[in-house]
Amino acid sequence: MNTVSIDGLGKRYGATPALDGLDLELGTGVTGFLGPNGAGKTTLLRCLATALAPDRGRLRILGLDPAVPAQRTELRRRIGYLPQNPGLYPQFTAYDLLDYVAVLKELTDGRRRRAEVRRVLDEVDLTDRARTKVRKLSGGMRQRLGLALALLGQPALLILDEPTVGIDPEQRMLFRALISRVGESHTVLLSTHQTEDVGALCERVVVMNAGRAAFDGTPRQLINRADGRVWLSTTAPTGSQPYWRNADGLYRRLGDRPDDGRPAQPTLEDGYLLLLHRSAPARVAR
Amino acid sequence: MSGWHVDEGLLADYDRGTLPPSRVLAVDTHLLACASCREQVRVDPVWLTGNWSVVFDALHEPRSGPLHRFLRRLGLPEHRIRLIAATPALRWSWLGATATVLALAVAAAYLGRGGMQVSNAVLLVVAPVLPVLAVATAYGPPADPMHEITDTTPAAGPALVLWRATTVVTVAVVMGVVAAVLLPGPGWYAVAWLLPALLLSVGTLALSTVIALPAAAGVLGGIWLAGVGTAVTIHRDSSLPLVFGRTAQLGYLFAAMTAVVVLTVRRRRLDPGETR
Ligand SMILES: Nc1ncnc2c1ncn2[C@@H]1O[C@H](COP(=O)(O)OP(=O)(O)OP(=O)(O)O)[C@@H](O)[C@H]1O
Ligand SMILES: [Mg+2]
Ligand SMILES: [Zn+2]
């Protein structure tokens, strides 16, 4: 069942089209958004989170239309949003901040609100930092606190803009466990630059480029695009193909087979790079 | 607690989780050390969590400052106070800055012996701008760094904006009245600036449905200062009756009412999720 349908979504900033007629249908489970800087991921997630009104196109989220005020408020009761730069009040403690946002989320009953605050603190492993002021938390802890804010009220749709920035490997594991648990029954949309996160926990991946979806499928399908296109060679390529020299001193090359090329196991990142490499000339031509 | 052991009534309350947090802590400490009392309490996970939550909440309950207590005395519900108290403009730094500006204006009126009217005019002219600055820093970017989170909660929208704006304007106006009462000169000084303040505050909100809030505040605050500055330069001592006289006040009232109408009609645009 589709929980989010996006139809011809457009948003410009001056002359720059941040979203350029985007069409997408998204269901429950975890969907990852990849794409270069400025591709329009944040703009899209802000529109879905009701923080921004698009210039054109239609949205239908959890059966509601965010362009209609009453439905927008209803939608806000059911979404949790972690912005790319959450800007948490530095003078608040973790607990106070959660308590404050819980009030914004209409948890007006004190007892229920405090129970919910305790729950999300525990989810992100910050219970022992509850009395620490935000400005004294480490960057990764702040990020986890932002995630806890999004989780308040058990939203049916969780929208996370680069949630794993600055999080250590152990916490990243906890994060993945948490998100996949939430994703079993709810819809999770997350943007990231970490292709490993997408491979590890997204059923679906959308690659954004210049305000459109350049790819929409499973992580496996994205990897498959690099089948027979990844090589290990003793020589560097001369053209514009992406490549790098690995720890064994071999050149890992993407694209056509070099003369002495041995096939290498493709990764999600290879599929992503090849996809964008191919669509790059088209972008220049426009 | 009787003697060295926890008495039964207390233990029963502890069991039920109805003991006040401070006493829970005391009982906990005793139980840690005393096996015989420990045997009398059932180790029930629900009970354990219940007690732990009470202690946890008591430790973490946000501190309520003087503003908080004052609003509670006014009969506002706890959750509404939480929302108002988090208004960016209500920080000590903002209150301090506002108080300083007003104090300087009052001091100028006393020290600037030359033309008393002109010195007094400083405060009357500056005071209406302070609520405008208050509105500009009451919500939204750039004053509220958390605006993206705030804007996507069900509380977001015109109601929250108006609550916050009203609160900060009230605070700014009260501070302004106190300052104006201290002015040497006729009593009407204390109230002469109120209508301009109302007009500029409501006007800023109304204009913010068209352009960004800081820009709206800048435009209206700028027009006021430029207009009054011109009047003072041209008319010198007779400028006060001109700017704050009966005709002018009627004009402010009329304009403020127009702004209220515009704001009412366009209030939905105060929501950033609304199409412009
Ligand atoms: N508030 C804004 N004002 C002007 N231009 C903006 C604004 N926000 C985004 N843009 C522009 O819109 C385009 C898309 O930006 P967006 O933030 O959506 O990209 P992104 O995919 O999230 O990038 P990143 O990976 O760097 O976070 C960019 O060209 C950006 O410069
Ligand atoms: Mg972004
Ligand atoms: Zn004992």
Side-chain angles (χ1 to χ4, degrees):
Chain A
M1 197 201 70
N2 288 329
T3 44
V4 178
S5 35
I6 301 166
D7 181 13
L9 203 67
K11 175 76 198 174
R12 332 182 126 259
Y13 290 106
T16 332
L19 292 175
D20 194 8
L22 180 73
D23 300 308
L24 269 181
E25 299 285 329
L26 304 169
T28 52
V30 187
T31 302
F33 289 84
L34 289 170
N37 293 135
K41 303 180 294 297
T42 296
T43 308
L44 171 63
L45 296 185
R46 282 170 53 90
C47 288
L48 297 178
T50 74
L52 185 70
D55 301 334
R56 63 195 164 86
R58 291 178 47 87
L59 284 173
R60 193 139 195 103
I61 307 166
L62 304 173
L64 297 163
D65 181 354
V68 180
Q71 296 188 38
R72 181 165 60 235
T73 301
E74 187 51 40
L75 183 57
R76 284 172 175 164
R77 297 197 169 98
R78 306 198 210 162
I79 57 176
Y81 174 46
L82 171 66
Q84 188 166 356
N85 301 302
L88 309 177
Y89 297 145
Q91 76 279 18
F92 275 51
T93 67
Y95 189 98
D96 291 1
L97 199 69
L98 285 161
D99 186 75
Y100 163 62
V101 173
V103 171
L104 286 170
K105 292 196 180 185
E106 296 180 334
L107 287 158
T108 45
D109 175 67
R111 188 187 288 263
R112 264 189 56 218
R113 183 167 75 241
R114 287 187 282 271
E116 181 63 3
V117 168
R118 281 195 309 272
R119 182 187 74 83
V120 296
L121 272 171
D122 190 48
E123 290 270 31
V124 301
D125 200 15
L126 277 180
T127 303
D128 56 349
R129 294 294 181 144
R131 294 175 82 180
T132 309
K133 293 224 161 133
V134 168
R135 71 179 132 81
K136 293 187 180 166
L137 292 175
S138 78
M141 287 176 190
R142 241 172 268 173
Q143 193 69 9
R144 276 150 58 198
L145 180 56
L147 180 64
L149 294 173
L151 291 170
L152 278 172
Q154 312 222 21
L157 172 63
L158 202 52
I159 301 171
L160 311 173
D161 202 349
E162 304 202 14
T164 53
V165 169
I167 292 189
D168 70 50
E170 197 186 346
Q171 288 297 332
R172 190 187 298 266
M173 284 296 299
L174 287 177
F175 169 79
R176 285 182 186 167
L178 171 64
I179 294 305
S180 45
R181 205 160 5 101
V182 176
E184 276 168 25
S185 48
H186 298 97
T187 304
V188 182
L189 311 179
L190 59 92
S191 85
T192 179
H193 291 295
Q194 324 263 201
T195 47
E196 319 95 86
D197 281 340
V198 174
L201 66 93
C202 300
E203 284 112 87
R204 175 128 173 237
V205 52
V206 175
V207 179
M208 302 265 306
N209 195 16
R212 289 165 187 259
F215 175 88
D216 176 12
T218 63
R220 173 75 5 227
Q221 286 168 334
L222 185 54
I223 297 173
N224 287 349
R225 292 182 72 108
D227 269 349
R229 311 268 303 155
V230 189
W231 311 98
L232 290 172
S233 157
T234 51
T235 56
T238 46
S240 66
Q241 287 175 6
Y243 75 97
W244 68 88
R245 202 164 147 245
N246 68 15
D248 299 328
L250 292 171
Y251 291 92
R252 200 169 186 284
R253 301 169 52 164
L254 301 181
D256 296 332
R257 179 168 191 264
D259 292 337
D260 65 340
R262 276 193 285 123
Q265 188 68 37
T267 64
L268 193 79
E269 191 172 62
D270 297 325
Y272 170 83
L273 289 172
L274 281 164
L275 176 85
L276 288 186
H277 191 62
R278 193 165 305 153
S279 56
R283 206 166 22 145
V284 174
R286 241 160 30 92
Chain B
M1 262 167 262
S2 63
W4 294 104
H5 293 287
V6 182
D7 77 37
E8 273 176 24
L10 211 55
L11 220 47
D13 278 345
Y14 180 76
D15 234 351
R16 266 184 257 118
T18 52
L19 209 56
S22 57
R23 313 195 72 188
V24 169
L25 275 177
V27 174
D28 272 338
T29 317
H30 179 84
L31 287 181
L32 271 179
C34 174
S36 93
C37 278
R38 237 181 358 246
E39 269 175 16
Q40 291 184 47
V41 289
R42 292 169 290 122
V43 180
D44 167 0
V46 176
W47 157 85
L48 208 57
T49 323
N51 273 311
W52 180 78
S53 326
V54 170
V55 175
F56 187 87
D57 290 342
L59 280 174
H60 295 85
E61 184 64 11
R63 301 270 165 279
S64 43
L67 174 75
H68 198 124
R69 285 196 294 273
F70 174 70
L71 290 174
R72 193 154 42 197
R73 207 158 301 148
L74 289 185
L76 281 183
E78 182 67 21
H79 58 91
R80 168 112 15 239
I81 298 176
R82 286 275 151 82
L83 289 189
I84 292 173
T87 302
L90 291 182
R91 294 209 202 99
W92 288 117
S93 53
W94 178 85
L95 295 171
T98 307
T100 309
V101 169
L102 290 170
L104 286 177
V106 172
Y110 279 100
L111 298 176
R113 274 279 157 241
M116 193 179 80
Q117 284 212 318
V118 175
S119 315
N120 279 348
V122 172
L123 188 121
L124 294 182
V125 167
V126 168
V129 178
L130 294 176
V132 171
L133 292 177
V135 169
T137 50
Y139 67 95
D144 184 0
M146 269 178 77
H147 66 95
E148 278 200 272
I149 291 178
T150 315
D151 290 348
T152 55
T153 62
L160 182 64
V161 166
L162 293 177
W163 263 103
R164 294 210 152 144
T166 310
T167 310
V168 294
V169 167
T170 308
V171 172
V173 164
V174 167
M175 290 169 84
V177 166
V178 170
V181 164
L182 296 176
L183 277 190
W188 59 265
Y189 279 8
V191 289
W193 60 280
L194 286 178
L195 277 175
L198 178 71
L199 165 61
L200 292 179
S201 309
V202 182
T204 299
L205 282 170
L207 191 58
S208 78
T209 63
V210 184
I211 57 176
L213 175 66
V219 166
L220 288 188
I223 289 178
W224 168 258
L225 289 178
V228 176
T230 312
V232 170
T233 320
I234 296 174
H235 298 280
R236 295 273 153 186
D237 272 9
S238 60
S239 62
L240 271 189
L242 188 70
V243 178
F244 294 102
R246 190 160 301 167
T247 322
Q249 297 286 1
L250 272 176
Y252 301 140
L253 182 63
F254 180 74
M257 277 164 21
T258 312
V260 167
V261 171
V262 170
L263 181 60
T264 311
V265 171
R266 296 178 62 90
R267 68 184 180 284
R268 289 204 196 290
R269 312 273 170 120
L270 294 172
D271 186 330
E274 182 72 27
T275 334
R276 300 229 160 193

